[in-house]
Amino acid sequence: GPKVLQIPSHQIIDMGQMVTLNCDPVSNHLYFYWYKQILGQQMEFLVNFYNGKVMEKSKLFKDQFSVERPDGSYFTLKIQPTALEDSAVYFCASSLPWQGRKYERLFFGHGTKLSVL
Amino acid sequence: TQTVSQSDAHVTVFEGDSVELRCNYSYGGSIYLSWYIQHHGRGLQFLLKYYSGNPVVQGVNGFKAEFSKSDSSFHLRKASVHWSDSAVYFCAVSASSSFSKLVFGQGTSLSVVP
């Protein structure tokens, strides 16, 4: 079936440095999402993105976070600068556009484990 | 603000047994309820969803869930589990004010003993 690819699967970085997490969404999808999961805790919504804009973001989406999808390429999550509490698994997801009340299932990637030292 | 609670962190059953994974939510307005499954080391996969109509919804691989407004619940059930059903199951809610923002529960880890 359709797949969302996340690159890399594991990223180790020193605190204060910049990191970019890459997501290759399903080809015809137009809604994109990032979720954060700290080990042993629930997965939490960070942001969703449509038509080149952030639609909604949570309190976890700090000022150091940014997302973009330039020219239909990877959907990226950039953290600059990183902090220790950013260590987590970050899941990317994509879906078809939400239109009215029609539910659109999310397709998730396998996650990128970010370790901030 | 919508919230989701999955009261059981871990459930262990034998192959062929039935299982119920519990999900309770809180939100006053219209919502979507859904279940996703996560096998170890993989991304979440959609199982089923409910918005309106028949409160019992059928999903893939013999899973079904029942919505109860009075109990604010959306429990997932399977009549006869297989070892391959071992995974973490997440209940999710999205509110009418922002349907595309899914809020997930803590997850229930299901272990099926062969």
Side-chain angles (χ1 to χ4, degrees), chain B residues 63-109:
Chain B
F63 284 97
K64 66 178 181 180
E66 182 168 5
F67 168 72
S68 170
K69 187 173 182 179
S70 59
D71 294 339
S72 297
S73 67
F74 189 56
H75 302 328
L76 182 70
R77 300 184 178 102
K78 186 168 182 178
S80 177
V81 295
H82 186 262
W83 64 266
S84 60
D85 293 324
S86 296
V88 181
Y89 291 78
F90 291 93
C91 181
V93 169
S94 59
S96 57
S97 56
S98 55
F99 278 134
S100 64
K101 177 185 172 184
L102 270 66
V103 175
F104 287 89
Q106 305 93 317
T108 296
S109 176

Side-chain angles (χ1 to χ4, degrees), chain A residues 43-111:
Chain A
M43 193 160 52
E44 296 188 89
F45 173 85
L46 282 177
V47 66
N48 58 11
F49 186 86
Y50 170 68
N51 198 24
K53 300 174 188 173
V54 169
M55 302 295 290
E56 298 172 274
K57 59 184 180 180
S58 71
K59 292 179 183 177
L60 295 179
F61 194 78
K62 304 178 295 185
D63 291 343
Q64 298 91 320
F65 287 43
S66 62
V67 291
E68 63 176 356
R69 192 189 187 211
D71 302 323
S73 60
Y74 287 149
F75 175 54
T76 62
L77 173 65
K78 184 184 293 185
I79 309 174
Q80 181 179 26
T82 50
L84 294 177
E85 60 265 27
D86 296 332
S87 293
V89 179
Y90 290 83
F91 289 95
C92 173
S94 69
S95 74
L96 291 170
W98 288 71
Q99 297 174 352
R101 293 176 181 266
K102 181 178 182 297
Y103 182 92
E104 294 298 342
R105 53 181 290 193
L106 272 62
F107 290 78
F108 284 84
H110 290 191

